[in-house]
């Protein structure tokens, strides 16, 4: 049975903290390095529903993609949203570890998992990490389709393969347009339009696309857009990360049970289609 410090050291080989963005807050948030770990839960968001699930599961370690605290705080009082999370974790001897932008740019990372869920063949990073001589790490991925699909078919595939959310998949572009190349980026992607345009791909799949950047992007190029729920684009990473830890656990001969949360933590819970559709 490994100690927390040993499991964290293993996770750090996958997602070294120094590869996180300078504004990010990754690493261990709660936990005693000497505590034993037998059960690990992976999830996107360190929210109360997920922590309650970890308690019910008997997990000793929760690994999330999103940080709990991104900026400094002066209180962990249980009367606050995040303080309640901290209290529940500590009272139940559950550690919390975060792998965020260091998991985004890892090889394999968040966007590899997203591409894999859609059966897209990864060609290279969308924004290569200049410190990686092999050019395999970086933000987002440029992918090819083994068999071209129409935009409508690609959207249907994304809706089918990504976990279900109220939002589903929003699409900008001609549904009959043929898609051979796709840029994907798990999480908010509208800061990447310049790189997506430079890559010359047919479509861009990401999340949280805002009105102005999206309308500018489609106005001057034939680029099609697919916008999924932020949570849904990052959730496939949990399965990838759990498989990576499972493999490490086997190699070390650890008796570790690794789980992936299926709880939907996308904040949007319903979707009403407009009564009049435009065509
Ligand atoms: Zn995210």
């Amino acid at each position: 049975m490994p100690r927390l410090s040993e499991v964290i050291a293993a996770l750090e080989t996958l997602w070294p903290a120094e590869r996180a963005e300078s504004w990010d807050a990754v690493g261990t948030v709660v936990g005693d390095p000497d505590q034993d770990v037998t059960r690990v839960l992976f999830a996107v968001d360190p929210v109360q529903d997920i922590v309650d699930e970890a308690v019910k599961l008997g997990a000793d370690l929760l690994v999330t993609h999103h940080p709990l605290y991104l900026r400094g705080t002066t209180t962990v009082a249980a009367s606050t949203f995040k303080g309640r999370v901290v209290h529940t974790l500590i009272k139940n001897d559950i550690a919390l570890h975060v792998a965020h932008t260091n998991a985004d740019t890892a090889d394999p990372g968040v966007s590899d998992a997203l591409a894999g869920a859609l059966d897209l063949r990864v060609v290279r990073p969308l924004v290569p990490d200049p410190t990686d001589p092999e050019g395999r790490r970086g933000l987002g991925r440029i992918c090819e389709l083994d068999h071209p699909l129409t935009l409508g078919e690609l959207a249907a595939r994304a809706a089918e393969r990504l976990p279900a959310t109220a939002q589903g998949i929003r699409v900008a572009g001609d549904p009959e347009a043929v898609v051979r190349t796709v840029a994907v980026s798990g999480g908010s992607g509208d800061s990447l339009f310049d790189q997506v345009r430079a890559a010359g791909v047919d479509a861009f799949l990401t999340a949280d696309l805002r009105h102005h950047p999206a309308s500018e992007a489609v106005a001057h190029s034939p680029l099609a857009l697919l916008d999924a729920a932020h949570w849904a684009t990052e959730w496939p990473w949990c399965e990838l990360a759990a498989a990576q830890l499972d493999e490490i656990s086997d190699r070390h001969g650890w008796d570790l049970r690794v789980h992936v949360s299926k709880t939907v933590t996308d904040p949007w819970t319903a979707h009403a289609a407009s009564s009049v559709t435009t065509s």
Side-chain angles (χ1 to χ4, degrees):
M1 191 186 298
R3 287 179 303 149
L4 177 65
S5 57
E6 295 173 282
V7 179
I8 298 299
L11 298 180
E12 285 282 325
T13 64
L14 300 174
W15 318 297
E18 63 270 18
R19 291 199 190 137
E21 296 286 341
S22 56
W23 51 263
D24 205 358
V26 302
T28 307
V29 182
V30 169
D32 179 343
D34 293 326
Q35 76 186 75
D36 290 333
V37 178
T38 56
R39 229 175 254 282
V40 183
L41 178 66
F42 280 85
V44 173
D45 292 300
V47 294
Q48 192 64 40
D49 277 357
I50 296 296
V51 175
D52 291 344
E53 184 181 344
V55 172
K56 210 181 274 181
L57 187 69
D60 318 286
L61 169 61
L62 171 63
V63 181
T64 65
H65 182 51
H66 288 148
L68 179 63
Y69 290 100
L70 204 49
R71 294 179 192 89
T73 188
T74 55
T75 174
V76 292
S79 52
T80 63
F81 176 83
K82 294 179 180 185
R84 167 71 58 190
V85 166
V86 171
H87 275 252
T88 311
L89 288 168
I90 292 175
K91 277 186 180 168
N92 291 280
D93 284 327
I94 303 171
L96 172 65
H97 187 83
V98 171
H100 190 214
T101 51
N102 47 338
D104 284 330
T105 56
D107 171 35
V110 172
S111 294
D112 292 295
L114 174 57
L118 270 69
D119 273 339
L120 305 173
R121 189 155 37 80
V122 171
V123 180
R124 60 183 169 86
L126 176 62
V127 187
D129 176 346
T131 68
D132 175 20
E134 290 176 27
R136 296 175 59 90
R137 292 198 311 266
L139 201 56
R141 295 292 184 269
I142 294 170
C143 309
E144 289 175 352
L145 284 157
D146 285 332
H147 305 287
L149 294 176
T150 66
L151 177 59
E153 288 168 339
L154 180 61
R157 183 185 287 189
E160 186 192 314
R161 304 278 184 87
L162 296 180
T165 58
Q167 174 186 321
I169 310 292
R170 296 190 295 178
V171 177
D174 175 1
E176 297 304 322
V178 175
V179 178
R180 291 181 177 83
T181 53
V182 187
V184 302
S185 186
S188 308
D190 65 16
S191 63
L192 299 171
F193 274 126
D194 287 347
Q195 290 89 339
V196 170
R197 267 192 293 262
V201 290
D202 300 319
F204 181 31
L205 168 68
T206 186
D208 290 345
L209 290 180
R210 291 168 301 157
H211 175 90
H212 293 294
S215 36
E216 262 179 55
V218 292
H220 304 294
S221 74
L223 179 68
L225 304 178
L226 298 106
D227 181 286
H230 186 128
W231 170 84
T233 62
E234 295 180 330
W235 184 85
W237 172 79
C238 295
E239 286 206 316
L240 168 70
Q244 288 178 289
L245 180 58
D246 251 335
E247 203 254 322
I248 289 172
S249 171
D250 284 349
R251 220 187 308 140
H252 286 81
W254 292 341
D255 185 18
L256 209 58
R257 309 285 150 80
V258 183
H259 304 259
V260 174
S261 172
K262 292 195 163 61
T263 304
V264 180
T265 54
D266 183 47
W268 306 106
T269 55
H271 169 93
S274 299
S275 54
V276 179
T277 55
T278 57
S279 60

